[in-house]
Amino acid sequence: AQSVAQPEDQVNVAEGNPLTVKCTYSVSGNPYLFWYVQYPNRGLQFLLKYITGDNLVKGSYGFEAEFNKSQTSFHLKKPSALVSDSALYFCAVRDMRRSGGYNKLIFGAGTRLAVHP
Amino acid sequence: SQTIHQWPATLVQPVGSPLSLECTVEGTSNPNLYWYRQAAGRGLQLLFYSVGIGQISSEVPQNLSASRPQDRQFILSSKKLLLSDSGFYLCAWKDRVGANEQFFGPGTRLTVL
């Protein structure tokens, strides 16, 4: 079965420290992977994606993610956290069970990132 | 550039009343459109998606329905709301071909009392 797991409900980081938000996936074939961020009472904002190519993907707001095929992981990282990074983060993988125009995404349950001053 | 609108932003409705939430997309043609519900500020549940006018796929059986009367308009409806319909409703769009990411609207907070 296809799935996305975000094993941490919450991640706490001090401002200025590096942060990692974990994501593992299970999907048939080559995965298309995504990260989104959600601020309170707002829609999801797209951060970055991995389709093919370099395993290290750079995205918005200084975030990057590393695709690791052997570990089926796609962890989100940032070298130096800001208080303003505090938000809910979602990992997603493209549903590969259908082709054509459907392109559904399977989302993880979300990880709340809290960056403390 | 493309933009996506949802309204209303917030809505408080009594149990048993009807519902209509609207989503429109600007700056693109023939998008895939999606309705999600987010409960308690966490996981997303895909409710409906559409690949064209009048083409609606339902992901879960429920009290809601969706329609796509125009290419860039997606409507979520209910004839009689239940308490369990409360939540944060998000509309999203995606290019039919090419880019795989979905882009989300600002959401509608629905409270059913």
Side-chain angles (χ1 to χ4, degrees):
Chain A
Q2 302 184 106
S3 64
V4 175
Q6 294 183 242
E8 304 153 315
D9 281 346
Q10 179 153 333
V11 170
N12 296 297
V13 178
E15 188 175 31
N17 283 2
L19 70 87
T20 299
V21 183
K22 296 180 180 178
C23 172
T24 59
Y25 65 89
S26 174
V27 66
S28 57
N30 295 319
Y32 291 9
L33 295 156
F34 307 85
W35 276 102
Y36 288 83
V37 60
Q38 184 182 31
Y39 297 98
N41 295 310
R42 305 287 288 274
L44 277 67
Q45 295 180 35
F46 170 71
L47 280 179
L48 50 81
K49 66 180 177 182
Y50 173 82
I51 304 300
T52 186
D54 288 342
N55 289 343
L56 186 63
V57 179
K58 295 189 182 297
S60 306
Y61 312 121
F63 283 94
E64 58 190 25
E66 186 169 12
F67 171 63
N68 187 316
K69 188 172 184 177
S70 63
Q71 297 185 8
T72 63
S73 67
F74 189 55
H75 300 332
L76 182 70
K77 301 180 179 183
K78 187 173 183 181
S80 178
L82 300 172
V83 172
S84 57
D85 292 329
S86 299
L88 186 57
Y89 290 81
F90 289 97
C91 181
V93 65
R94 177 182 169 182
D95 188 334
M96 303 298 280
R97 290 174 293 181
R98 297 181 183 183
S99 60
Y102 295 163
N103 278 337
K104 293 189 294 180
L105 295 179
I106 300 168
F107 284 87
T111 298
R112 196 165 300 281
L113 174 66
V115 182
H116 304 284
Chain B
S1 64
Q2 301 89 356
T3 56
I4 179 169
H5 304 280
Q6 287 186 245
W7 65 88
T10 60
L11 191 59
V12 180
Q13 292 284 95
V15 169
S17 64
L19 173 73
S20 181
L21 303 182
E22 189 163 342
C23 170
T24 58
V25 182
E26 296 177 356
T28 187
S29 297
N30 303 315
N32 287 359
L33 295 172
Y34 306 83
W35 277 113
Y36 291 87
R37 178 168 57 204
Q38 185 178 28
R42 292 309 288 256
L44 295 171
Q45 180 185 37
L46 178 62
L47 301 176
F48 301 95
Y49 62 94
S50 171
V51 299
I53 296 174
Q55 300 179 62
I56 308 296
S57 294
S58 175
E59 286 295 291
V60 292
Q62 58 203 317
N63 185 42
L64 301 169
S65 62
S67 62
R68 186 171 176 174
Q70 301 180 46
D71 181 46
R72 290 169 288 178
Q73 184 185 29
F74 205 24
I75 297 172
L76 185 69
S77 303
S78 173
K79 293 181 179 179
K80 289 186 178 181
L81 283 169
L82 306 173
L83 287 174
S84 58
D85 291 325
S86 293
F88 193 49
Y89 288 83
L90 291 161
C91 181
W93 72 274
K94 191 194 83 62
D95 277 334
R96 184 72 57 82
V97 296
N100 293 276
E101 60 270 29
Q102 295 177 17
F103 298 96
F104 285 78
T108 295
R109 173 77 58 192
L110 173 65
T111 303
V112 183
L113 301 176

